[in-house]
Amino acid sequence: MCMKSWFSKNWLFVAVSLVIVLAVAVFTRCYLYAALPGEMERLVEPVHSILEDIGSATDEINASLDEVKEEQAAIKNELDSLKSDLDSARSEIVDIQEEIAVLEAAPPTIIREVVQASTPAASKPSVPAKPESEAPGVSQSKPEAKSEAPAPASTRGYSSTAEAEILRLTNQMRKDAGLGELTVDAKLSALARERAVEITELYSHTRPNGTTVSDLGYGENLVYRRSVSSAFTSWVESPSHLKNIMLSGVKRIGIGAYKADDGMIYFTQVFAY
């Protein structure tokens, strides 16, 4: 009852108050709609700046990582090159050690002759002596003729049997490794035999005239031993010599085996594509 009395007396005040509240609400809403986008931009702008900085930093980090990767690749290549040089140096050291061992085992006198057998000197025909007359009752003994001991036959010369065995062992090893067999080349064989004789005097890949077989584009293996098996084993146990034997591109070969008077055999292999 009291409330109705109060509303009836103050209805105008209430109505004006409601209008004011609604006006304030409308104004506030309009203000917020108008001011909010700008405020949001002001708040988001630092975030965008931070994200851009992070992006720039990420790009710099990626660029640095790429540089580090490139440097690592360059270092790896250098290490591979150094490793390859080290392997080559080790192979050369092995070759030098082998040559030193061979030179230490070399016979004191090395013969250079190429002739397979010496021609025996012609002997003069013996002229029978006239019998001397003996005095009756006197017995005179005739002096016995001295017979000279025949000179020992020379054993030096090329050994076709040894050359054939070297060829067989070489092709057998290549065949076991799945490589093609080598064909004997007459020109290379002549060169190999010539080199076999040369190394009886100068055991080196450098020839007496200062040239090398490699100057002709060929590969070469040298060794001297008293048997084919020990010679071939020496090549197989040497990485550089074994490499020549097992080259996949090699098609032709020449082999020389020259036996000196002391029984030492000088072996050579000449390889060509």
Side-chain angles (χ1 to χ4, degrees):
M1 190 72 181
C2 292
M3 287 295 294
K4 287 183 178 181
S5 176
W6 186 86
F7 273 113
S8 63
K9 292 180 181 181
N10 298 291
W11 64 269
L12 183 60
F13 174 76
V14 173
V16 172
S17 298
L18 290 174
V19 171
I20 292 172
V21 170
L22 290 173
V24 170
V26 171
F27 175 78
T28 302
R29 186 174 182 180
C30 293
Y31 174 79
L32 289 175
Y33 273 112
L36 188 58
E39 193 68 18
M40 289 296 293
E41 289 182 3
R42 186 178 65 82
L43 294 174
V44 171
E45 185 175 353
V47 177
H48 286 166
S49 178
I50 292 172
L51 291 176
E52 290 177 357
D53 293 340
I54 292 174
S56 299
T58 303
D59 293 338
E60 293 178 359
I61 292 173
N62 289 333
S64 300
L65 289 176
D66 292 338
E67 292 178 358
V68 170
K69 289 179 180 179
E70 291 177 358
E71 291 178 357
Q72 288 179 341
I75 293 173
K76 183 179 179 182
N77 292 334
E78 291 180 1
L79 290 176
D80 292 340
S81 178
L82 290 175
K83 183 179 179 181
S84 178
D85 293 341
L86 181 59
D87 292 340
S88 299
R90 287 175 178 173
S91 178
E92 292 178 1
I93 290 173
V94 171
D95 292 343
I96 292 172
Q97 290 176 341
E98 182 179 347
E99 291 182 2
I100 291 174
V102 170
L103 290 175
E104 289 177 349
T109 305
I110 299 178
I111 304 173
R112 180 181 170 78
E113 288 86 348
V114 184
V115 183
Q116 184 170 357
S118 59
T119 304
S123 57
K124 295 181 179 179
S126 58
V127 179
K130 295 181 179 179
E132 298 180 359
S133 58
E134 297 180 359
V138 178
S139 176
Q140 184 178 2
S141 62
K142 298 181 180 179
E144 295 180 359
K146 294 182 179 180
S147 60
E148 296 182 357
S154 175
T155 60
R156 63 178 177 268
Y158 298 113
S159 174
S160 300
T161 303
E163 293 169 353
E165 181 64 10
I166 288 291
L167 176 64
R168 187 189 70 80
L169 293 172
T170 300
N171 281 334
Q172 184 62 49
M173 174 166 284
R174 289 177 61 89
K175 184 178 179 181
D176 293 343
L179 300 174
E181 296 185 0
L182 301 181
T183 303
V184 176
D185 183 276
K187 180 180 178 181
L188 297 181
S189 295
L191 177 59
R193 282 192 163 190
E194 184 178 355
R195 290 290 293 128
V197 175
E198 290 177 352
I199 62 175
T200 62
E201 182 173 319
L202 177 62
Y203 187 79
S204 171
H205 287 290
T206 302
R207 305 183 68 180
N209 62 5
T211 64
T212 63
V213 170
S214 60
D215 294 338
L216 303 174
Y218 304 144
E220 181 181 59
N221 282 348
L222 305 176
V223 72
Y224 61 86
R225 292 289 188 274
R226 294 192 179 275
S227 67
V228 174
S229 59
S230 61
F232 194 77
T233 300
S234 175
W235 281 335
V236 172
E237 292 177 350
S238 170
S240 59
H241 294 87
L242 180 61
K243 180 181 178 182
N244 285 338
I245 294 174
M246 303 302 287
L247 280 175
S248 59
V250 170
K251 304 297 182 185
R252 297 175 293 145
I253 190 174
I255 300 172
Y258 184 80
K259 186 175 183 180
D261 280 332
D262 61 357
M264 188 68 70
I265 307 175
Y266 295 81
F267 298 90
T268 59
Q269 286 179 312
V270 178
F271 303 92
Y273 292 99

